[in-house]
Coordinates of all heavy atoms in Angstrom, one line a residue:
M12 N 46.3 20.6 3.0 CA 45.2 20.2 2.1 C 45.6 19.0 1.4 O 45.8 18.9 0.2 CB 44.9 21.4 1.1 CG 44.4 22.6 1.7 SD 42.8 22.4 2.5 CE 41.7 22.6 1.1
S13 N 45.7 17.9 2.1 CA 46.0 16.6 1.4 C 44.8 15.8 1.2 O 44.8 14.6 1.0 CB 47.1 15.8 2.3 OG 46.5 15.6 3.5
D14 N 43.7 16.4 1.3 CA 42.4 15.7 1.4 C 41.5 15.9 0.1 O 40.3 15.8 0.2 CB 41.6 16.1 2.6 CG 41.0 14.9 3.3 OD1 41.1 13.8 2.8 OD2 40.4 15.1 4.3
L15 N 42.2 16.2 -1.0 CA 41.5 16.5 -2.2 C 40.6 15.4 -2.7 O 39.8 15.6 -3.6 CB 42.4 17.1 -3.2 CG 43.1 18.4 -2.9 CD1 44.1 18.8 -3.9 CD2 42.0 19.5 -2.8
H16 N 41.0 14.2 -2.3 CA 40.3 13.1 -2.9 C 39.2 12.5 -2.1 O 38.7 11.4 -2.3 CB 41.4 12.0 -3.2 CG 42.4 12.4 -4.2 ND1 42.1 12.5 -5.5 CD2 43.7 12.7 -4.1 CE1 43.1 12.9 -6.2 NE2 44.1 13.0 -5.3
T17 N 38.7 13.3 -1.2 CA 37.4 12.8 -0.6 C 36.3 12.7 -1.6 O 36.2 13.4 -2.5 CB 37.0 13.8 0.6 OG1 36.9 15.1 0.0 CG2 38.0 13.8 1.7
R18 N 35.5 11.8 -1.3 CA 34.4 11.5 -2.3 C 33.1 12.1 -1.8 O 32.0 11.5 -2.0 CB 34.2 10.0 -2.5 CG 35.5 9.4 -3.1 CD 35.2 8.1 -3.5 NE 36.3 7.6 -4.5 CZ 36.1 6.6 -5.3 NH1 35.0 5.9 -5.3 NH2 37.1 6.2 -6.1
E19 N 33.2 13.2 -1.1 CA 32.0 13.7 -0.5 C 30.9 14.0 -1.5 O 29.7 13.8 -1.3 CB 32.3 15.0 0.2 CG 31.3 15.5 1.2 CD 31.8 16.6 2.1 OE1 33.0 16.7 2.3 OE2 30.9 17.4 2.4
G20 N 31.3 14.4 -2.7 CA 30.4 14.7 -3.8 C 29.5 13.5 -4.2 O 28.4 13.7 -4.5
E21 N 30.1 12.3 -4.1 CA 29.3 11.2 -4.5 C 28.3 10.8 -3.4 O 27.2 10.4 -3.8 CB 30.3 10.0 -4.8 CG 31.2 10.3 -5.9 CD 32.1 9.0 -6.2 OE1 31.7 8.0 -5.8 OE2 33.1 9.2 -6.9
G22 N 28.7 10.9 -2.2 CA 27.8 10.7 -1.1 C 27.0 9.4 -1.1 O 25.9 9.3 -0.8
V23 N 27.7 8.4 -1.6 CA 26.9 7.1 -1.7 C 27.5 6.0 -0.8 O 27.3 4.8 -1.0 CB 26.9 6.6 -3.2 CG1 26.1 7.5 -4.0 CG2 28.4 6.5 -3.7
T24 N 28.3 6.4 0.2 CA 28.8 5.4 1.1 C 27.9 5.2 2.3 O 27.3 6.2 2.8 CB 30.2 5.8 1.6 OG1 30.2 7.1 2.0 CG2 31.3 5.7 0.5
C25 N 27.8 4.0 2.7 CA 27.0 3.6 3.8 C 27.8 3.8 5.1 O 28.9 3.3 5.1 CB 26.5 2.2 3.6 SG 25.7 1.6 5.1
T26 N 27.2 4.4 6.0 CA 28.0 4.5 7.3 C 27.6 3.4 8.3 O 28.0 3.5 9.4 CB 27.6 5.9 7.9 OG1 26.2 6.0 8.1 CG2 28.1 7.0 7.1
H27 N 26.9 2.4 7.8 CA 26.4 1.4 8.7 C 27.2 0.1 8.4 O 26.8 -1.0 9.0 CB 24.9 1.1 8.6 CG 24.1 2.4 8.7 ND1 23.6 3.1 7.6 CD2 23.7 3.1 9.8 CE1 23.0 4.1 8.0 NE2 23.0 4.2 9.3
G28 N 28.1 0.1 7.5 CA 28.9 -1.1 7.2 C 28.4 -2.0 6.0 O 29.0 -3.0 5.7
M29 N 27.4 -1.5 5.4 CA 26.9 -2.3 4.2 C 27.6 -1.7 3.0 O 28.1 -0.6 2.9 CB 25.4 -2.1 4.0 CG 24.6 -2.6 5.2 SD 24.8 -4.4 5.4 CE 23.8 -5.0 4.1
P30 N 27.8 -2.6 1.9 CA 28.5 -2.2 0.7 C 28.0 -0.9 0.1 O 28.7 0.0 -0.4 CB 28.4 -3.4 -0.2 CG 27.9 -4.5 0.6 CD 27.3 -3.9 1.8
T31 N 26.7 -0.9 0.0 CA 26.0 0.3 -0.7 C 24.8 0.7 0.1 O 24.2 -0.1 0.8 CB 25.6 -0.1 -2.1 OG1 24.5 -1.0 -2.0 CG2 26.7 -0.6 -2.9
P32 N 24.4 1.9 0.1 CA 23.2 2.4 0.8 C 22.0 1.6 0.3 O 21.1 1.4 1.1 CB 23.1 3.9 0.4 CG 24.5 4.3 0.1 CD 25.1 3.0 -0.6
A33 N 22.0 1.2 -0.9 CA 20.8 0.5 -1.5 C 20.6 -0.8 -0.8 O 19.5 -1.3 -0.7 CB 20.9 0.3 -3.0
S34 N 21.7 -1.4 -0.2 CA 21.5 -2.7 0.4 C 21.4 -2.5 2.0 O 21.5 -3.5 2.7 CB 22.7 -3.6 0.1 OG 23.9 -3.0 0.5
C35 N 21.4 -1.3 2.4 CA 21.3 -1.0 3.8 C 20.0 -0.5 4.3 O 19.5 0.5 3.8 CB 22.4 0.0 4.2 SG 22.3 0.5 5.9
I36 N 19.4 -1.3 5.1 CA 18.1 -0.9 5.6 C 18.1 0.5 6.3 O 17.2 1.3 6.2 CB 17.5 -2.0 6.5 CG1 17.2 -3.2 5.7 CG2 16.2 -1.5 7.2 CD1 16.8 -4.4 6.6
D37 N 19.1 0.7 7.1 CA 19.2 1.9 7.8 C 19.3 3.1 6.9 O 18.7 4.2 7.1 CB 20.4 1.9 8.7 CG 20.2 1.0 9.9 OD1 19.0 1.0 10.4 OD2 21.1 0.3 10.3
C38 N 20.1 3.0 5.8 CA 20.2 4.1 4.9 C 18.9 4.4 4.2 O 18.5 5.5 4.1 CB 21.3 3.8 3.8 SG 23.0 4.0 4.4
M39 N 18.3 3.3 3.8 CA 17.0 3.5 3.1 C 16.0 4.1 4.0 O 15.1 4.9 3.6 CB 16.5 2.1 2.6 CG 17.5 1.5 1.6 SD 16.8 0.5 0.3 CE 15.9 -0.7 1.1
D40 N 16.1 3.7 5.3 CA 15.2 4.2 6.3 C 15.4 5.7 6.5 O 14.5 6.5 6.6 CB 15.4 3.5 7.6 CG 14.1 3.5 8.4 OD1 13.0 3.3 7.8 OD2 14.2 3.7 9.6
D41 N 16.7 6.1 6.5 CA 17.0 7.5 6.6 C 16.4 8.3 5.5 O 15.9 9.4 5.7 CB 18.5 7.7 6.6 CG 19.1 7.2 7.9 OD1 18.4 7.0 8.9 OD2 20.3 7.0 8.0
D42 N 16.4 7.7 4.3 CA 15.9 8.5 3.2 C 14.4 8.4 3.0 O 13.9 9.0 2.1 CB 16.6 7.9 1.9 CG 18.1 8.3 1.8 OD1 18.5 9.2 2.5 OD2 18.8 7.6 1.1
G43 N 13.8 7.6 3.8 CA 12.4 7.4 3.7 C 12.0 6.5 2.6 O 10.9 6.4 2.2
L44 N 13.0 5.8 2.0 CA 12.7 4.9 0.9 C 12.5 3.5 1.4 O 12.1 2.6 0.6 CB 13.9 4.9 -0.1 CG 14.1 6.3 -0.7 CD1 15.4 6.2 -1.6 CD2 13.0 6.7 -1.6
G45 N 12.9 3.2 2.6 CA 12.8 1.9 3.1 C 11.4 1.5 3.6 O 11.2 0.4 3.9
A46 N 10.6 2.5 3.7 CA 9.2 2.2 4.2 C 8.5 1.2 3.3 O 8.6 1.4 2.1 CB 8.4 3.5 4.3
P47 N 7.9 0.3 3.8 CA 7.2 -0.7 3.0 C 6.1 0.0 2.1 O 5.3 0.8 2.6 CB 6.5 -1.7 4.0 CG 6.5 -0.9 5.3 CD 7.6 0.0 5.3
T48 N 6.2 -0.2 0.9 CA 5.3 0.4 0.0 C 4.0 -0.4 0.0 O 4.0 -1.6 -0.4 CB 5.8 0.5 -1.5 OG1 6.2 -0.9 -1.8 CG2 7.0 1.4 -1.6
T49 N 2.9 0.2 0.5 CA 1.7 -0.4 0.5 C 1.0 -0.3 -0.9 O 0.7 0.8 -1.3 CB 0.7 0.2 1.6 OG1 0.7 1.6 1.4 CG2 1.2 -0.2 2.9
A50 N 1.0 -1.4 -1.6 CA 0.4 -1.3 -2.9 C -1.1 -0.9 -2.8 O -1.8 -1.3 -1.8 CB 0.5 -2.7 -3.6
P51 N -1.5 -0.1 -3.7 CA -2.9 0.3 -3.7 C -3.8 -0.9 -3.8 O -3.6 -1.8 -4.5 CB -3.1 1.2 -4.9 CG -1.9 1.0 -5.7 CD -0.8 0.4 -4.8
E52 N -4.9 -0.8 -3.0 CA -5.8 -1.9 -3.0 C -6.5 -2.1 -4.3 O -6.9 -1.1 -4.9 CB -6.8 -1.7 -1.8 CG -7.6 -2.9 -1.4 CD -8.4 -2.6 -0.1 OE1 -8.4 -1.4 0.3 OE2 -8.9 -3.6 0.4
R53 N -6.7 -3.3 -4.7 CA -7.4 -3.5 -6.0 C -8.6 -4.4 -5.8 O -8.6 -5.2 -4.9 CB -6.4 -4.1 -7.0 CG -5.2 -3.2 -7.2 CD -4.8 -3.1 -8.7 NE -4.9 -4.5 -9.3 CZ -3.9 -5.0 -9.9 NH1 -2.7 -4.5 -9.9 NH2 -4.0 -6.2 -10.5
L54 N -9.5 -4.4 -6.7 CA -10.6 -5.3 -6.7 C -10.2 -6.6 -7.1 O -9.5 -6.8 -8.1 CB -11.8 -4.7 -7.5 CG -12.4 -3.4 -7.1 CD1 -13.5 -3.0 -8.0 CD2 -12.8 -3.4 -5.6
E55 N -10.7 -7.6 -6.4 CA -10.2 -9.0 -6.7 C -11.0 -9.7 -7.8 O -10.6 -10.5 -8.5 CB -10.3 -9.8 -5.4 CG -9.7 -11.2 -5.5 CD -8.2 -11.2 -5.6 OE1 -7.6 -10.1 -5.3 OE2 -7.6 -12.2 -5.8
G56 N -12.3 -9.3 -7.9 CA -13.1 -10.0 -8.9 C -14.4 -9.3 -9.1 O -14.6 -8.1 -8.7
P57 N -15.3 -9.9 -9.8 CA -16.6 -9.3 -10.1 C -17.4 -9.1 -8.8 O -17.1 -9.8 -7.8 CB -17.3 -10.3 -11.0 CG -16.6 -11.6 -10.7 CD -15.2 -11.3 -10.3
S58 N -18.4 -8.3 -8.8 CA -19.2 -8.1 -7.7 C -20.1 -9.2 -7.5 O -20.4 -10.0 -8.4 CB -20.0 -6.8 -7.8 OG -21.0 -7.0 -8.8
V59 N -20.5 -9.4 -6.2 CA -21.5 -10.4 -6.0 C -22.6 -9.8 -5.1 O -22.4 -8.8 -4.5 CB -20.9 -11.7 -5.2 CG1 -19.9 -12.3 -6.1 CG2 -20.4 -11.3 -3.9
A60 N -23.8 -10.4 -5.1 CA -24.9 -9.9 -4.3 C -24.6 -10.4 -2.9 O -24.4 -11.6 -2.7 CB -26.2 -10.4 -4.8
S61 N -24.6 -9.5 -2.0 CA -24.4 -9.9 -0.6 C -25.5 -10.8 -0.1 O -26.7 -10.6 -0.4 CB -24.3 -8.7 0.3 OG -24.1 -9.1 1.7
K62 N -25.1 -11.8 0.6 CA -26.1 -12.8 1.1 C -26.5 -12.4 2.5 O -27.4 -13.0 3.1 CB -25.5 -14.2 1.2 CG -25.2 -14.8 -0.2 CD -24.8 -16.2 0.0 CE -24.6 -16.9 -1.3 NZ -23.4 -16.5 -2.0
Y63 N -25.8 -11.4 3.1 CA -26.1 -11.0 4.5 C -26.3 -9.5 4.6 O -25.8 -8.8 3.8 CB -25.0 -11.5 5.4 CG -24.5 -12.9 5.1 CD1 -23.4 -13.1 4.4 CD2 -25.2 -13.9 5.7 CE1 -22.9 -14.4 4.2 CE2 -24.8 -15.2 5.5 CZ -23.6 -15.5 4.7 OH -23.2 -16.7 4.5
D64 N -26.9 -9.1 5.7 CA -26.8 -7.7 6.1 C -25.4 -7.6 6.8 O -25.1 -8.4 7.7 CB -27.8 -7.4 7.1 CG -29.2 -7.1 6.5 OD1 -29.2 -6.7 5.3 OD2 -30.2 -7.2 7.2
T65 N -24.6 -6.8 6.2 CA -23.2 -6.7 6.8 C -22.7 -5.3 6.7 O -23.5 -4.3 6.5 CB -22.3 -7.7 6.0 OG1 -21.0 -7.6 6.5 CG2 -22.2 -7.3 4.5
E66 N -21.4 -5.1 6.8 CA -20.9 -3.7 6.8 C -19.7 -3.7 5.8 O -19.0 -4.7 5.6 CB -20.3 -3.3 8.1 CG -21.4 -3.0 9.1 CD -20.8 -2.8 10.5 OE1 -19.6 -2.9 10.7 OE2 -21.6 -2.5 11.4
C67 N -19.6 -2.6 5.1 CA -18.5 -2.4 4.3 C -17.2 -2.3 5.1 O -17.2 -1.6 6.1 CB -18.6 -1.1 3.5 SG -17.2 -0.6 2.6
R68 N -16.2 -3.1 4.7 CA -15.0 -3.1 5.5 C -14.2 -1.9 5.3 O -13.2 -1.7 6.0 CB -14.2 -4.3 5.1 CG -14.8 -5.6 5.4 CD -14.9 -5.9 6.9 NE -15.5 -7.2 7.2 CZ -16.8 -7.5 7.3 NH1 -17.7 -6.5 7.1 NH2 -17.2 -8.7 7.6
K69 N -14.5 -1.0 4.4 CA -13.7 0.2 4.1 C -14.4 1.4 4.8 O -13.7 2.2 5.4 CB -13.6 0.3 2.6 CG -12.7 1.5 2.2 CD -12.4 1.3 0.7 CE -12.0 2.6 0.1 NZ -10.7 3.1 0.6
C70 N -15.6 1.6 4.5 CA -16.3 2.8 5.0 C -17.2 2.5 6.2 O -17.8 3.5 6.7 CB -17.0 3.5 3.9 SG -18.5 2.7 3.4
D71 N -17.4 1.2 6.5 CA -18.3 0.9 7.6 C -19.7 1.1 7.3 O -20.6 1.1 8.2 CB -17.9 1.6 8.9 CG -16.6 1.0 9.5 OD1 -16.3 -0.2 9.3 OD2 -16.0 1.7 10.3
G72 N -20.0 1.4 6.1 CA -21.4 1.6 5.7 C -22.1 0.3 5.7 O -21.5 -0.7 5.5
S73 N -23.4 0.3 5.9 CA -24.2 -0.9 6.0 C -24.4 -1.4 4.6 O -24.6 -0.7 3.6 CB -25.5 -0.7 6.7 OG -26.3 0.2 6.0
I74 N -24.3 -2.7 4.5 CA -24.6 -3.4 3.2 C -25.8 -4.3 3.4 O -25.8 -5.1 4.3 CB -23.4 -4.2 2.7 CG1 -22.2 -3.3 2.4 CG2 -23.8 -5.1 1.5 CD1 -20.9 -4.0 2.1
R75 N -26.8 -4.2 2.6 CA -28.0 -5.0 2.8 C -27.9 -6.2 1.9 O -27.2 -6.3 0.9 CB -29.3 -4.2 2.4 CG -29.4 -2.9 3.2 CD -29.9 -3.2 4.6 NE -30.1 -2.0 5.4 CZ -31.2 -1.4 5.4 NH1 -32.2 -1.7 4.6 NH2 -31.4 -0.3 6.1
V76 N -28.7 -7.2 2.3 CA -28.9 -8.4 1.5 C -29.2 -8.0 0.0 O -30.1 -7.2 -0.2 CB -29.9 -9.3 2.0 CG1 -30.2 -10.5 1.1 CG2 -29.6 -9.8 3.4
G77 N -28.5 -8.5 -0.9 CA -28.8 -8.3 -2.3 C -28.0 -7.1 -2.9 O -27.9 -6.9 -4.1
E78 N -27.4 -6.3 -2.0 CA -26.5 -5.2 -2.6 C -25.3 -5.8 -3.2 O -24.8 -6.8 -2.8 CB -26.2 -4.2 -1.5 CG -27.1 -3.1 -1.3 CD -26.6 -2.0 -0.4 OE1 -25.5 -1.5 -0.6 OE2 -27.3 -1.7 0.6
R79 N -24.7 -5.1 -4.1 CA -23.5 -5.5 -4.8 C -22.3 -5.3 -3.8 O -22.2 -4.2 -3.3 CB -23.2 -4.8 -6.1 CG -24.4 -4.8 -7.0 CD -24.9 -6.1 -7.3 NE -24.0 -7.0 -8.1 CZ -24.3 -8.2 -8.4 NH1 -25.4 -8.8 -8.1 NH2 -23.4 -8.9 -9.1
V80 N -21.5 -6.3 -3.6 CA -20.3 -6.1 -2.8 C -19.2 -6.6 -3.6 O -19.3 -7.5 -4.5 CB -20.4 -6.9 -1.4 CG1 -21.4 -6.2 -0.5 CG2 -20.7 -8.3 -1.6
Y81 N -18.0 -6.1 -3.3 CA -16.8 -6.4 -4.1 C -15.7 -6.9 -3.1 O -15.5 -6.3 -2.1 CB -16.3 -5.1 -4.8 CG -17.3 -4.6 -5.8 CD1 -18.4 -3.9 -5.3 CD2 -17.1 -4.7 -7.2 CE1 -19.3 -3.4 -6.2 CE2 -18.0 -4.2 -8.1 CZ -19.1 -3.6 -7.6 OH -20.0 -3.1 -8.5
L82 N -15.0 -7.9 -3.5 CA -13.9 -8.4 -2.8 C -12.6 -7.8 -3.3 O -12.4 -7.7 -4.5 CB -13.8 -9.9 -2.9 CG -12.7 -10.6 -2.1 CD1 -12.9 -10.5 -0.6 CD2 -12.6 -12.1 -2.5
T83 N -11.8 -7.2 -2.4 CA -10.6 -6.6 -2.8 C -9.4 -7.6 -2.6 O -9.6 -8.6 -1.9 CB -10.3 -5.4 -1.9 OG1 -9.9 -5.8 -0.6 CG2 -11.5 -4.5 -1.8
D84 N -8.3 -7.3 -3.1 CA -7.1 -8.2 -3.0 C -6.6 -8.1 -1.5 O -5.7 -8.9 -1.2 CB -6.1 -7.8 -4.0 CG -5.5 -6.4 -3.8 OD1 -6.0 -5.7 -2.9 OD2 -4.6 -6.1 -4.6
A85 N -7.1 -7.3 -0.7 CA -6.8 -7.3 0.7 C -7.7 -8.3 1.5 O -7.6 -8.4 2.7 CB -6.9 -5.9 1.3
G86 N -8.6 -8.9 0.7 CA -9.5 -9.9 1.3 C -10.7 -9.3 2.1 O -11.2 -9.9 3.0
R87 N -11.0 -8.1 1.8 CA -12.2 -7.5 2.5 C -13.3 -7.1 1.5 O -13.0 -6.8 0.3 CB -11.7 -6.3 3.3 CG -11.1 -5.2 2.5 CD -10.6 -4.1 3.5 NE -10.1 -2.9 2.7 CZ -9.9 -1.8 3.3 NH1 -10.0 -1.6 4.6 NH2 -9.4 -0.8 2.6
W88 N -14.5 -7.2 2.0 CA -15.6 -6.9 1.2 C -15.9 -5.4 1.3 O -15.9 -4.9 2.4 CB -16.8 -7.7 1.6 CG -16.6 -9.2 1.3 CD1 -16.2 -10.1 2.1 CD2 -16.9 -9.8 0.1 NE1 -16.1 -11.3 1.5 CE2 -16.6 -11.2 0.2 CE3 -17.4 -9.4 -1.2 CZ2 -16.7 -12.1 -0.8 CZ3 -17.5 -10.3 -2.2 CH2 -17.2 -11.6 -2.0
V89 N -16.1 -4.8 0.2 CA -16.4 -3.3 0.3 C -17.7 -3.1 -0.5 O -18.1 -3.9 -1.4 CB -15.3 -2.5 -0.3 CG1 -14.0 -2.7 0.5 CG2 -15.1 -2.8 -1.8
C90 N -18.3 -1.9 -0.2 CA -19.5 -1.6 -0.9 C -19.3 -1.0 -2.3 O -18.1 -0.8 -2.7 CB -20.3 -0.5 0.0 SG -19.5 1.1 0.0
E91 N -20.3 -0.8 -3.0 CA -20.2 -0.4 -4.4 C -19.5 1.0 -4.5 O -18.7 1.2 -5.4 CB -21.6 -0.3 -5.0 CG -21.5 -0.2 -6.5 CD -22.8 -0.7 -7.2 OE1 -23.8 -0.7 -6.5 OE2 -22.8 -1.1 -8.3
R92 N -19.8 1.8 -3.6 CA -19.2 3.2 -3.6 C -17.7 3.1 -3.4 O -16.9 3.7 -4.0 CB -19.9 4.0 -2.5 CG -19.5 5.5 -2.6 CD -20.5 6.3 -1.8 NE -20.7 5.8 -0.4 CZ -20.0 6.3 0.6 NH1 -19.0 7.2 0.4 NH2 -20.2 5.8 1.8
C93 N -17.3 2.3 -2.4 CA -15.9 2.1 -2.1 C -15.2 1.4 -3.2 O -14.0 1.7 -3.6 CB -15.7 1.4 -0.8 SG -16.1 2.3 0.7
A94 N -15.9 0.5 -3.9 CA -15.3 -0.2 -5.0 C -15.0 0.8 -6.1 O -14.0 0.7 -6.8 CB -16.2 -1.3 -5.5
G95 N -15.9 1.7 -6.3 CA -15.7 2.8 -7.3 C -14.5 3.6 -6.9 O -13.7 4.0 -7.8
E96 N -14.3 3.9 -5.6 CA -13.1 4.7 -5.2 C -11.9 3.9 -5.5 O -10.9 4.5 -6.0 CB -13.2 5.0 -3.7 CG -14.2 6.1 -3.4 CD -14.2 6.5 -1.9 OE1 -13.3 6.0 -1.2 OE2 -15.1 7.1 -1.5
I97 N -11.9 2.6 -5.2 CA -10.7 1.8 -5.4 C -10.4 1.8 -6.9 O -9.2 1.9 -7.3 CB -10.9 0.4 -4.8 CG1 -11.0 0.5 -3.3 CG2 -9.8 -0.5 -5.3 CD1 -11.4 -0.8 -2.7
Q98 N -11.4 1.6 -7.7 CA -11.2 1.5 -9.1 C -10.7 2.8 -9.7 O -9.9 2.9 -10.6 CB -12.4 1.1 -9.9 CG -12.7 -0.4 -9.9 CD -13.9 -0.8 -10.7 OE1 -14.9 -0.1 -10.7 NE2 -13.7 -1.8 -11.4
G99 N -11.2 3.9 -9.1 CA -10.8 5.2 -9.5 C -9.4 5.6 -9.0 O -8.9 6.7 -9.3
G100 N -8.8 4.8 -8.1 CA -7.5 5.1 -7.6 C -7.5 6.1 -6.5 O -6.5 6.7 -6.2
L101 N -8.6 6.3 -5.9 CA -8.7 7.4 -4.8 C -8.3 6.8 -3.5 O -8.5 5.6 -3.2 CB -10.1 7.9 -4.7 CG -10.5 8.7 -6.0 CD1 -12.0 9.1 -5.8 CD2 -9.6 9.9 -6.2
Ligands
ZN406 ZN1 23.7 2.4 5.9
ZN407 ZN1 -17.9 1.3 1.6

């Protein structure tokens, strides 16, 4: 029993050669923390009246001329209902 000084309890060593698991993509990937966090979509600005008959980029619902449409920070136009969902964080 000469192995009392193992640091198993700390469990913070990277097995891939990086100094710390936090700097290792593989470790973060193993923990599921490395996945790119997709920031929740947000509304980019005030609504505008659609100039065209088009479709909501989120729900594919039809948008008629004159309906309120909202631009999101993902660069897509969404209908009023979807804008409400985005604002409500759903
Ligand atoms: Zn690693
Ligand atoms: Zn929609």
Side-chain angles (χ1 to χ4, degrees):
M12 294 297 277
S13 61
D14 220 358
L15 293 173
H16 293 289
T17 55
R18 297 193 163 198
E19 197 171 329
E21 295 183 19
V23 290
T24 48
C25 170
T26 56
H27 309 100
M29 298 299 285
T31 65
S34 62
C35 174
I36 291 173
D37 286 320
C38 281
M39 300 211 303
D40 207 40
D41 287 347
D42 292 336
L44 298 174
T48 51
T49 49
E52 198 170 8
R53 302 220 318 238
L54 298 182
E55 186 74 11
S58 68
V59 299
S61 178
K62 294 188 175 71
Y63 313 98
D64 279 339
T65 182
E66 285 172 0
C67 172
R68 296 292 186 272
K69 184 168 159 66
C70 72
D71 287 335
S73 63
I74 293 171
R75 301 289 183 84
V76 175
E78 268 189 58
R79 309 308 291 178
V80 291
Y81 298 75
L82 183 63
T83 75
D84 61 358
R87 57 182 187 171
W88 292 95
V89 300
C90 69
E91 192 156 25
R92 190 161 54 89
C93 289
E96 284 184 15
I97 291 172
Q98 277 185 320
L101 295 176

